[in-house]
């Protein structure tokens, strides 16, 4: 029995250490430098959605608050908070972690890569926020491409921007984001 307990302890220690290593952050943004982020709406393509992003301090933590009205009128349908990742090495990234809360609606992470040439091309994954902050882990290999001309899967080394997006339907957007990370 003594040997079994030791083996179990060793196994559990190894399992815990393996999980900690696999959750290593490669890149993290907590909105302390809001100048790296920009607001984009569908009006760049003739859409009628409106909104804004406000950077606030909430309980001592920087957050980005994306809000507005998304309308599919006039071929529109999105507002977005986007950050370029030009000088960030994401070769080993396997997941995106986002900590967010909001108005019980579905939102998206959009990734643009060196292969997304046209403005309407992206890879996306959805998550649904609740009233309290939650952590969402989005596997990169589950992001869906926006069209058949793109590679089936996101190649992390090719990612050039990330966006938090209210998208695809008429609705009020109201999402608070505390942090976005790429992890391996």
């Amino acid at each position: 029995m003594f040997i079994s307990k030791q083996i179990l302890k060793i196994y559990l220690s190894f399992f815990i250490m393996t999980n900690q290593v696999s959750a290593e952050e490669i890149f993290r943004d907590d909105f302390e430098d809001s100048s790296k982020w920009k607001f984009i709406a569908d009006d760049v393509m003739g859409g009628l959605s409106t909104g804004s992003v406000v950077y606030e301090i909430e309980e001592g933590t920087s957050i980005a608050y994306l809000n507005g009205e998304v309308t599919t009128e006039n071929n529109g349908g999105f507002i977005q908070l986007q950050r370029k990742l030009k000088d960030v090495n994401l070769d080993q990234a396997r997941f995106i972690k986002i900590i967010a809360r909001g108005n019980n609606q579905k939102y998206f992470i959009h990734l643009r890569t060196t292969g997304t040439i046209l403005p309407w091309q992206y890879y996306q994954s959805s998550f649904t926020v609740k009233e309290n902050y939650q952590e969402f882990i989005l596997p990169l290999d589950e992001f869906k491409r926006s069209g058949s001309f793109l590679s089936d899967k996101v190649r992390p080394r090719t990612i050039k921007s990330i966006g938090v997006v209210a998208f695809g339907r008429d609705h009020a957007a109201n999402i608070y984001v505390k942090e976005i990370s790429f992890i391996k």
Side-chain angles (χ1 to χ4, degrees):
M1 190 71 162
F2 176 75
I3 293 175
S4 302
K5 285 183 180 180
Q6 275 193 317
I7 291 172
L8 181 61
K9 285 181 183 178
I10 291 168
Y11 176 75
L12 286 174
S13 296
F14 177 75
F15 179 76
I16 290 168
M17 287 187 327
T18 303
N19 280 344
Q20 287 174 343
V21 170
S22 66
E24 181 182 332
E25 280 185 354
I26 296 170
F27 170 80
R28 186 178 97 151
D29 194 307
D30 57 8
F31 302 100
E32 289 213 8
D33 182 0
S34 62
S35 69
K36 296 184 186 238
W37 292 87
K38 69 177 182 175
F39 174 81
I40 304 170
D42 58 19
D43 61 346
V44 299
M45 303 179 326
L48 302 174
S49 298
T50 59
S52 66
V53 63
V54 177
Y55 302 95
E56 302 175 349
I57 302 293
E58 185 178 272
E59 297 178 8
T61 303
S62 297
I63 61 158
Y65 171 50
L66 176 67
N67 70 87
E69 292 295 323
V70 178
T71 177
T72 55
E73 228 179 300
N74 207 34
N75 296 318
F78 76 89
I79 61 172
Q80 177 177 184
L81 173 60
Q82 184 189 74
R83 185 189 197 280
K84 303 278 189 217
L85 298 166
K86 179 181 167 189
D87 297 323
V88 179
N89 180 347
L90 298 172
D91 285 353
Q92 296 183 34
R94 298 293 169 256
F95 304 92
I96 293 173
K97 176 177 83 172
I98 181 169
I99 300 173
R101 72 175 177 88
N103 60 346
N104 301 310
Q105 295 287 318
K106 180 167 44 171
Y107 293 91
F108 298 87
I109 294 293
H110 280 192
L111 300 174
R112 292 194 41 86
T113 68
T114 55
T116 56
I117 308 299
L118 302 172
W120 52 84
Q121 293 178 316
Y122 52 85
Y123 292 88
Q124 81 173 1
S125 184
S126 67
F127 60 99
T128 301
V129 294
K130 304 293 181 200
E131 292 177 14
N132 296 316
Y133 281 106
Q134 291 180 271
E135 180 179 289
F136 302 91
I137 304 293
L138 308 174
L140 286 176
D141 62 0
E142 292 181 13
F143 274 67
K144 304 293 183 213
R145 63 187 177 168
S146 63
S148 59
F149 293 112
L150 298 175
S151 297
D152 288 342
K153 299 290 180 189
V154 174
R155 288 188 302 276
R157 74 177 174 278
T158 67
I159 296 170
K160 63 182 185 181
S161 71
I162 186 169
V164 178
V165 188
F167 171 76
R169 67 191 191 289
D170 297 336
H171 69 287
N174 186 347
I175 180 171
Y176 298 81
V177 183
K178 244 188 209 185
E179 176 186 312
I180 295 179
S181 304
F182 284 86
I183 55 179
K184 64 177 181 175

